[in-house]
Amino acid sequence: MLSAWYFVLVGALVTYAWRWAGVVLSGRIDPNSRAMRWVTAVAYALLAGLIARLIVAPQGALAETGLWVRLVAAGIAVAVYFLCRRSIPLGVAAGASWLIAVSALMPSAP
Amino acid sequence: MTPQASLPMVPHMGDPHDQTWISDHGSPRGARLAGMRAAIGTPALVLGASYLGFGAFVHQAGFDLWQGLGSTTLGWALPGQIALVEIFAVGGSLIAAAIAVGLANARLLPMVLTLMPILRHDDPERKPRLAHYLSAHFIALTGWANAMQRCPDMVPSQRLPYFLGFTTVIWLSTVIATAIGFHLVSVLPAPVTLGLVFLNPLYFMLLFVADLARRERGVALVIGAVLGPLLHLVSPDWGLLATGLIGGTLAYLIVEQGRR
């Protein structure tokens, strides 16, 4: 098997290539142009899609928790965030605590 | 700790030159320290917790400690790192790893493209310099979302120092957390590990709730959040890119329509 170092280096190169391309292009596009407004919309849609996917269809061990457990965790996080004067740490802590509690009490939650 | 909540909402339209900046940290040095202070606390803790999970994951996948640290320092951006380690763990090829990381991290291109002009707002040169190429390495979700919220209001010469202060702190915290997670792999109870891994999406979600109020971002965020899981069902590989392109274009058209 190839050393994991090759994977680490390929991953680093591919990741930096996107960033590098972003810097190169940013010197050529007018920040106030319509093209840039479109790119901004694409960036926000992509990130929202990524986050929704991390919650609805996660990879790895999280996939074994029930979808409803994760959705309720997200709901609790948003509710606590607003109830506690837009506190991100309290929202995050509340949502994660719910997930930990459910997985500890119901190891095979549907 | 929600510093952005205390800032008044100011529309960023019109000529940027006749604007007084409502966020002034005194000097570039002051801005760097402000960035570091903003990162210490929730951002560093949440990202650190996520990378505890990553450190444990690379251990199980057969990386050694240095390879795990190499990924976090050089290939920094969690979804791509996870894709990389998954493919290595199942014995996939280098090409498969390159494609998976490329797809998972393609979002970095529009992110850099939108943030970089804000960071170098008063730069007389159009061509990017070495400092910009190096700074781009630190553009990832947390630092990007924070800078997109804070920097447009900031004195231009202070933006890059603020961003670098913020991101070097969270980057360091992820490096340290990778090492700790690598050693904790067998110690943490499974439910706690799950909770740590889930901190990250919850945190990202709440980060963007603050952006919902800005119409040109909010529309794209809502459409993306709906399309993301749906298109993932259609194609796990290409769903995310399609979400960005289709959802972003749709949001752009809706917002442009509203401007008229």
Side-chain angles (χ1 to χ4, degrees):
Chain A
M1 192 149 75
L2 270 177
S3 158
W5 274 117
Y6 289 102
F7 284 77
V8 169
L9 292 178
V10 163
L13 281 176
V14 171
T15 302
Y16 189 72
W18 288 120
R19 291 178 166 127
W20 175 83
V23 179
V24 170
L25 288 173
S26 75
R28 299 182 185 174
I29 298 185
D30 174 6
N32 300 312
S33 65
R34 306 176 73 173
M36 195 60 105
R37 289 208 294 274
W38 176 74
V39 173
T40 307
V42 169
Y44 276 97
L46 238 169
L47 292 169
L50 174 73
I51 295 162
R53 204 177 79 170
L54 287 171
I55 293 172
V56 176
Q59 310 285 309
L62 265 180
E64 282 151 42
T65 58
L67 173 63
W68 70 273
V69 178
R70 280 176 266 124
L71 288 179
V72 171
I76 290 177
V78 173
V80 170
Y81 168 80
F82 280 111
L83 287 175
C84 298
R85 309 177 65 191
R86 296 182 165 258
S87 166
I88 292 184
L90 290 180
V92 169
S97 305
W98 154 263
L99 189 95
I100 293 174
V102 173
S103 346
L105 296 174
M106 297 191 284
S108 57
Chain B
M1 199 200 67
T2 50
Q4 64 269 36
S6 60
L7 292 173
M9 281 289 187
V10 173
H12 307 285
M13 287 174 187
D15 183 13
H17 294 290
D18 56 353
Q19 198 173 350
T20 46
W21 309 108
I22 61 171
S23 172
D24 185 350
H25 298 290
S27 64
R29 194 184 128 79
R32 176 154 15 100
L33 290 174
M36 293 170 80
R37 269 198 304 274
I40 295 170
T42 311
L45 279 178
V46 170
L47 269 193
S50 314
Y51 274 83
L52 280 182
F54 178 74
F57 180 45
V58 298
H59 197 162
Q60 290 162 338
F63 274 40
D64 68 27
L65 174 64
W66 298 106
Q67 290 156 345
L69 290 176
S71 175
T72 298
T73 47
L74 304 173
W76 197 50
L78 194 53
Q81 289 179 257
I82 290 175
L84 179 80
V85 177
E86 272 173 352
I87 292 200
F88 175 78
V90 299
S93 68
L94 264 186
I95 304 279
I99 293 172
V101 175
L103 287 173
N105 283 344
R107 71 185 184 290
L108 293 171
L109 169 61
M111 287 166 70
V112 174
L113 191 45
T114 46
L115 181 59
M116 203 43 86
I118 294 174
L119 292 182
R120 42 189 305 230
H121 179 82
D122 63 345
D123 201 328
E125 290 269 337
R126 261 177 90 80
K127 259 176 95 77
R129 287 187 298 274
L130 181 63
H132 304 126
Y133 285 103
L134 294 178
S135 305
H137 178 63
F138 296 98
I139 295 183
L141 204 150
T142 307
W144 181 85
N146 185 278
M148 290 293 282
Q149 286 168 354
R150 306 291 299 280
C151 287
D153 298 328
M154 200 178 288
V155 176
S157 61
Q158 299 175 4
R159 295 176 185 180
L160 193 59
Y162 174 90
F163 171 76
L164 289 177
F166 185 95
T167 48
T168 44
V169 166
I170 56 176
W171 180 70
L172 266 179
S173 89
T174 62
V175 174
I176 295 166
T178 301
I180 297 174
F182 189 89
H183 293 296
L184 279 186
V185 65
S186 51
V187 182
L188 288 175
V192 175
T193 315
L194 284 181
L196 289 178
V197 176
F198 203 57
L199 281 176
N200 204 0
L202 290 179
Y203 176 60
F204 288 166
M205 177 184 71
L206 293 184
L207 264 184
F208 283 117
V209 169
D211 277 315
L212 287 175
R214 294 186 183 181
R215 188 173 150 76
E216 77 278 9
R217 297 181 184 182
V219 175
L221 284 170
V222 171
I223 296 178
V226 174
L227 276 185
L230 290 179
L231 292 177
H232 174 70
L233 292 177
V234 179
S235 162
D237 288 335
W238 296 93
L240 212 51
L241 280 189
T243 299
L245 291 174
I246 299 172
T249 305
L250 218 60
Y252 169 79
L253 293 174
I254 291 173
V255 172
E256 290 295 304
Q257 203 65 36
R259 281 167 176 255
R260 287 186 212 123

